[in-house]
Amino acid sequence: IDCPAAMAATNLQAVGFVDYMTEYTNWNLLEDRNIDNFSQEDANTAMRDILTKYDNIDIVYAMMDDICAGALQAVEAAGKDDGSITVYGNIGGPGTIGAIKAGSKALYGLTLSDYYTEMSVAMGFALYFAAAGQTAVTMGLDETPQIALKVFPITPDNAEDMIIMSHWPLTGMV
């Protein structure tokens, strides 16, 4: 279950998943759904529809936290949260990290990038370049420098550490 269609060409999380799946597994992609506005409710509706269309679903990849939460809700409502369908999400937030902490059998895990640090570093560089009157061009670079940080898997074993790293508020978590 993927990002809004307008972002699909530039958002490569789901593309990476499909490329990996194609090269390294014997899985078949049953359907690729784009969810407008990253809506949890729309993801829930889409997942309910997918569950009625296909009998043999093994794994669901959801590219964003709200989309993952919506898909997980639909899997749970269908009574398939016994581990028969595995949901894997990206960019964990309070709801899905809370589900992992609570022992969800359907939610295998999530990935998390430390966006707080990434944005802090990006803003620090932007302010430095503005104060110094520098740009990538005046520094002799052919393209704008990019900041990319490691992605971490979130599992029941490290969910507590990932909550701290994510800077999400701890209130409202299961």
Side-chain angles (χ1 to χ4, degrees), residues 8-171:
T10 58
N11 193 316
L12 301 179
Q13 285 124 333
V15 172
F17 174 80
V18 171
D19 287 350
Y20 182 90
M21 178 188 76
T22 302
E23 187 167 342
Y24 297 107
T25 75
N26 61 354
W27 298 341
N28 296 312
L29 179 63
L30 299 175
E31 195 164 329
D32 184 7
R33 288 280 183 103
N34 298 99
I35 305 299
D36 287 332
N37 302 316
F38 301 101
S39 166
Q40 183 173 336
E41 182 178 316
D42 290 351
N44 184 312
T45 301
M47 189 68 225
R48 285 194 323 261
D49 180 57
I50 290 168
L51 288 166
T52 62
K53 289 170 67 175
Y54 304 101
D55 292 329
N56 192 15
I57 299 172
D58 295 316
I59 189 166
V60 175
Y61 174 76
M63 69 76 52
M64 193 78 162
D65 190 62
D66 285 341
I67 293 172
C68 182
L72 181 61
Q73 288 169 346
V75 168
E76 290 171 345
K80 303 217 178 232
D81 57 340
D82 57 359
S84 60
I85 295 179
T86 300
V87 179
Y88 196 91
N90 191 40
I91 309 175
T96 51
I97 295 174
I100 287 177
K101 282 183 59 179
S104 171
K105 291 181 182 173
L107 184 57
Y108 179 78
L110 304 161
T111 56
L112 175 73
S113 181
D114 185 357
Y115 291 106
Y116 180 88
T117 299
E118 189 174 343
M119 292 300 108
S120 296
V121 170
M123 285 307 302
F125 277 123
L127 292 171
Y128 167 77
F129 285 116
Q134 293 285 331
T135 67
V137 173
T138 61
M139 293 180 64
L141 301 173
D142 293 334
E143 54 187 51
T144 302
Q146 296 182 10
I147 297 168
L149 299 176
K150 183 178 178 180
V151 174
F152 301 93
I154 304 173
T155 65
D157 296 334
N158 69 0
E160 193 67 41
D161 295 335
M162 293 298 115
I163 290 167
I164 293 166
M165 187 185 87
S166 74
H167 300 275
W168 288 106
L170 299 179
T171 58

